[in-house]
């Protein structure tokens, strides 16, 4: 059983040209793999601007150019790639914010459609409504790699603690969150949320943001980070483009859960999540 895993986040700058973004992702993936990463995580909407009115223009079906690229890079570099997210269009024309995961043979092993759409109105600061163009997903997402169970969610999903807890109760040891917090929510809540989810659920949390692009209409906060189950920050970026790496030690996760057995001490006679934990694990959508 795997006890240690080297993981990298590629905090890349995202521009308006899809090919430029894919080329930059390729260069950073190669560097991360060359530094020993076994799992590499890209940011939310890594191949296009984070701009709702442009989502239909940048959308792709699966399989398509961006997912073919991710599968090829995973195989060529012998790594698992969590491909941040892309704007996915299904056969009926619905558009999703979707994260695709490929193992080191280039096989699709995970796919998460963002469940909670970012519809907010902060007067005088920002208004954003993903539901203008996107459809919400409807499934918890877990995938396994090297005997480790990963839970996958996207950005706004992390604000709903029930989702993280349900995913951990299904066995997740690592929560992976491609995200693009902004200059309002980022300084206020980014680190607070990621460390809180790690401590409350006794898991590693991997939060992958784009680097800040001052030329873009939507300014990402950056500050990608990797947090351990005790809430310690193992690696952290600033707002600039860079690769961060950390070793995930699963013996330490086991130790934290044994010494502070929160998950076992839940009072299910008083409270419980209203979801069916015995339901069949959702199959990858077509």
């Amino acid at each position: 059983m795997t006890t240690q895993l080297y993981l990298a986040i590629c905090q890349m700058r995202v521009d308006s040209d899809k090919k430029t973004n894919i080329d930059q992702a390729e260069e950073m993936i190669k560097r991360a793999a060359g530094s020993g990463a076994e799992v590499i995580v890209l940011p939310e909407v890594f191949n296009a601007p984070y701009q709702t009115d442009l989502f239909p223009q940048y959308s792709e079906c699966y399989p398509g150019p961006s997912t073919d690229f991710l599968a090829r890079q995973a195989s060529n570099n012998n790594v698992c790639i969590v491909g941040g997210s892309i704007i996915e269009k299904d056969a009926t024309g619905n558009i999703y914010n979707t994260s695709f995961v490929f193992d080191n043979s280039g096989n699709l092993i995970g796919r998460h459609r963002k469940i909670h759409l970012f519809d907010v109105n902060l007067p005088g600061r920002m208004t954003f409504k993903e539901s203008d163009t996107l459809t919400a997903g409807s499934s918890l997402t877990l995938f396994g790699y090297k005997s480790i169970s990963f839970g996958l969610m996207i950005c706004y999903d992390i604000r709903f603690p029930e989702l993280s807890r349900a995913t951990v109760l299904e066995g997740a040891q690592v929560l992976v969150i491609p995200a693009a917090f902004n200059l309002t929510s980022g300084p206020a809540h980014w680190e607070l949320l990621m460390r809180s989810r790690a401590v409350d659920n006794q898991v590693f949390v991997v939060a992958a943001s784009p680097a800040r692009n001052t030329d873009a209409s939507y300014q990402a906060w950056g500050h990608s980070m990797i947090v351990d189950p005790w809430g310690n920050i193992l690696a952290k970026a600033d707002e600039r483009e860079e690769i961060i790496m950390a070793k995930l030690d699963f013996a330490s996760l086991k130790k934290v859960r044994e010494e502070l057995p929160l998950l076992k001490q839940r009072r299910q006679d008083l409270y419980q999540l209203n979801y069916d934990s015995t339901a069949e694990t959702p199959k990858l959508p077509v």
Side-chain angles (χ1 to χ4, degrees):
M1 179 175 178
T2 299
T3 59
Q4 296 182 342
L5 192 73
Y6 286 89
L7 183 143
I9 296 174
C10 296
Q11 181 171 287
M12 55 175 284
R13 173 187 163 111
V14 178
D15 290 302
S16 59
D17 182 68
K18 185 179 286 189
K19 183 179 185 306
T20 298
N21 297 327
I22 288 177
D23 288 347
Q24 181 61 5
E26 180 176 5
E27 191 274 331
M28 295 184 82
I29 289 168
K30 287 179 178 177
R31 279 200 283 137
S35 296
E38 300 166 84
V39 176
I40 298 173
V41 185
L42 299 179
E44 183 180 18
V45 195
F46 81 92
N47 66 347
Y50 188 64
Q51 193 172 328
T52 54
D53 61 314
L54 296 179
F55 285 167
Q57 174 184 331
Y58 284 91
S59 64
E60 299 179 18
C61 294
Y62 171 79
S66 295
T67 51
D68 287 350
F69 159 78
L70 293 169
R72 186 168 60 252
Q73 291 303 311
S75 177
N76 289 350
N77 291 283
N78 192 34
V79 295
C80 173
I81 294 180
V82 181
S85 73
I86 67 168
I87 304 305
E88 177 206 6
K89 181 168 60 177
D90 71 9
T92 64
N94 289 323
I95 297 175
Y96 301 89
N97 187 344
T98 306
S99 182
F100 292 85
V101 185
F102 296 90
D103 68 14
N104 61 338
S105 296
N107 300 311
L108 180 67
I109 59 170
R111 184 183 198 175
H112 178 72
R113 289 170 168 167
K114 190 174 187 177
I115 294 173
H116 302 93
L117 299 183
F118 185 53
D119 287 3
V120 300
N121 180 27
L122 306 174
R125 291 172 287 176
M126 75 168 301
T127 299
F128 206 90
K129 195 172 182 183
E130 283 189 324
S131 64
D132 281 345
T133 52
L134 297 181
T135 300
S138 57
S139 297
L140 298 180
T141 304
L142 290 94
F143 67 92
Y145 185 68
K146 292 194 172 181
S147 74
I148 302 301
S149 181
F150 295 79
L152 182 59
M153 52 195 71
I154 298 173
C155 200
Y156 202 45
D157 286 340
I158 197 65
R159 288 189 177 271
F160 299 85
E162 300 92 340
L163 178 59
S164 295
R165 176 53 57 87
T167 304
V168 169
L169 293 179
E170 287 295 304
Q173 298 158 285
V174 185
L175 298 181
V176 182
I177 308 103
F181 278 36
N182 55 67
L183 301 190
T184 298
S185 61
H189 299 146
W190 175 262
E191 181 175 321
L192 174 66
L193 281 167
M194 303 311 169
R195 296 182 71 189
S196 295
R197 295 294 172 265
V199 171
D200 287 348
N201 294 291
Q202 300 180 313
V203 288
F204 291 96
V205 167
V206 178
S209 170
R212 194 170 307 163
N213 179 354
T214 56
D215 296 327
S217 63
Y218 183 92
Q219 299 288 304
W221 172 238
H223 295 82
S224 297
M225 63 174 56
I226 303 169
V227 186
D228 77 7
W230 194 252
N232 298 309
I233 297 173
L234 302 179
K236 182 178 180 180
D238 57 23
E239 75 281 3
R240 296 168 293 184
E241 191 170 69
E242 64 177 300
I243 297 169
I244 61 171
M245 290 185 62
K247 177 178 69 175
L248 309 189
D249 182 352
F250 293 94
S252 71
L253 181 147
K254 181 180 178 183
K255 182 172 183 288
V256 166
R257 289 185 176 184
E258 287 175 346
E259 293 180 346
L260 200 65
L262 302 181
L263 298 174
K264 293 180 179 179
Q265 292 174 339
R266 290 176 301 114
R267 287 290 304 274
Q268 295 187 71
D269 57 323
L270 296 178
Y271 53 81
Q272 59 183 327
L273 285 171
N274 184 24
Y275 85 106
D276 184 2
S277 64
T278 65
E280 182 181 358
T281 302
K283 294 179 171 60
L284 295 177
V286 295

